[in-house]
Amino acid sequence: MAMVSSLLWIPNYRGIVVVPVTILRTLSAATSHRHYNRQKNKRFGCSNWDSDLNFYQKNCSRTFASDSVASIAITSNLSTPISKCHVEYNRLLPCPTENFLPRIEHLVVKEGGPVLDFITKALDLPPLSDRFWSSVLRAWTYLRVHVRPKRFPRCYEIDWKSRIIAVTESYVVLNKPAGTSVGGTTDNIEETCANFATRALKLTTPLKTTHQIDNCTEGCVVLAKTKDYCSVFHRKIREKKVKKLYLALAAAYVPPGLMTHYMRPFRMAPKIVSQELIPGWNLCQLEVLECRKVPWPNAWIEEENGIQDLNWPNKDFAFECKINLLTGRTHQIRAQLAACGAPLVGDSMYMPAVISELANPGLNPVRNGKYKKEFESEADRESAIEEWATKHGKEPGVSIGLQASQISWDDDEDQRHLYQAGPPWWTQ
């Protein structure tokens, strides 16, 4: 993998912004970037972003950020001075109105030479001057180029100051909005909760992620101010000293009590779980503290919060569950409740499979021990699992019925820290 920086492409090829990626450095080119409608931003109380975004739309010329890990120097021929408060934020680009699917190109360099020359020729981009990038590639170098990075447009719709729950010397607690990423992704290290919260608080040092929740989930997230506290919080999580309570809006009733499943150890989603122990699968446990009947959100509330209509057969009522998360597997609450026939409202990844099973009972190959009993070989069992996975859908674009409603832990002096996210979207 070539160790190069991330490249974001400005509209009409008026300029480029080169940004460093800390873990996996890749080249990215983003096309057709446009600022969201001003009126939409004002409706969300975010018109303060206009000046920053228009600054790039009107004045972007070639700007270079050095690839040094130790220090990041930004030079520019723009007349507008760069803020001294975490200058990296000036790399943020206007968000496109079109929802382009991410596009990745995989390239192999057959002959050595300047990196920009190779990429512009391979992807038919306008030529760029070598003085903006002097890196030279060796022959047979592998490049992964993000031509259209994944974007998070909700970052520009949020009043981030209003989402701050608490600020201390060591950490910040954020009520994360759905449709946003807590930390950076391979092709987008800018449009993150950590960056936007840092900017909202006018901090000189970027906030650091201590744990993750899904992009489509809202609620409590702890961001560390220092590397030391980031390590402290990671240790608390490993030692299971951090307690997390969730509110889940399920499409069907979920009995209170301990819920145990075993999750298939597969990196990609959807996550498949079994009620029966399967060797090598990971333990998943949560405790449903209570489950109460509530009105199904009306169409206006669903539209305002980006909830997809997935044609669930009974929308008379939904069920709000209070959940104590005991193990922190990816998609755990979503997968476990769906396995019980109670998918979360708006969960386009897990609800389609449940609807399919309702139409054809017994379809799920890992329910009630079928995985063990009804297949002649391991190959047949795995084939059935893959077929079941195809019944699932795509990851939600914005929000689902899930909120990380409370987070708490004790520090080394036995002082209690407890934070609440406030009412979930379906009650507002």
Side-chain angles (χ1 to χ4, degrees), residues 164-410:
I164 304 297
I165 298 173
V167 180
T168 74
E169 292 183 0
S170 303
Y171 61 85
V172 171
V173 182
L174 174 72
N175 183 9
K176 174 193 172 297
T180 61
S181 174
V182 177
T185 60
T186 299
D187 56 348
N188 191 332
I189 62 171
E190 302 295 337
E191 292 168 342
T192 69
C193 293
N195 276 357
F196 278 72
T198 302
R199 180 167 183 166
L201 293 172
K202 298 183 179 179
L203 300 177
T204 57
T205 302
L207 292 168
K208 300 163 181 60
T209 58
T210 63
H211 62 109
Q212 296 280 351
I213 60 176
D214 293 344
N215 293 350
C216 55
T217 302
E218 64 180 22
C220 294
V221 170
V222 177
L223 302 170
K225 283 187 172 183
T226 65
K227 290 183 179 179
D228 288 343
Y229 193 79
C230 195
S231 299
V232 168
F233 203 82
H234 285 163
R235 174 173 52 80
K236 291 182 182 296
I237 291 176
R238 288 195 304 270
E239 295 174 355
K240 300 187 182 302
K241 294 181 178 179
V242 178
K243 184 177 181 180
K244 301 175 184 178
L245 294 182
Y246 283 78
L247 290 178
L249 189 66
Y253 179 73
V254 182
L258 183 66
M259 184 182 295
T260 300
H261 286 86
Y262 299 89
M263 181 177 288
R264 182 191 186 198
F266 188 64
R267 188 175 64 86
M268 303 298 290
K271 300 296 183 179
I272 306 298
V273 297
S274 167
Q275 293 176 319
E276 300 293 327
L277 173 62
I278 298 176
W281 288 32
N282 299 317
L283 174 67
C284 293
Q285 283 189 322
L286 57 82
E287 182 183 8
V288 180
L289 302 176
E290 61 179 64
C291 182
R292 63 188 187 94
K293 183 185 293 186
V294 297
W296 190 282
N298 62 44
W300 184 85
I301 293 177
E302 289 188 326
E303 182 179 357
E304 280 293 298
N305 291 278
I307 304 300
Q308 293 181 247
D309 183 3
L310 302 170
N311 298 315
W312 182 255
N314 184 4
K315 292 185 178 181
D316 294 334
F317 296 98
F319 295 85
E320 184 182 88
C321 305
K322 181 182 291 186
I323 295 173
N324 178 20
L325 189 62
L326 301 177
T327 57
R329 308 292 182 189
T330 302
H331 289 200
Q332 179 182 329
I333 295 175
R334 299 165 61 185
Q336 284 194 265
L337 266 60
C340 295
L344 301 184
V345 171
D347 195 344
S348 57
M349 176 161 282
Y350 292 93
M351 185 176 280
V354 180
I355 293 175
S356 295
E357 189 177 10
L358 289 174
N360 184 8
L363 184 67
N364 188 342
V366 293
R367 183 188 289 276
N368 299 325
K370 284 183 62 180
Y371 182 87
K372 290 183 176 180
K373 300 174 182 177
E374 297 187 11
F375 302 98
E376 294 182 357
S377 67
E378 182 66 25
D380 291 339
R381 287 191 282 268
E382 284 301 311
S383 176
I385 292 294
E386 293 300 328
E387 183 178 353
W388 173 241
T390 63
K391 304 294 182 182
H392 293 67
K394 295 183 179 180
E395 184 70 1
V398 181
S399 185
I400 61 173
L402 187 60
Q403 183 201 57
S405 64
Q406 183 185 108
I407 190 167
S408 61
W409 68 94
D410 294 331

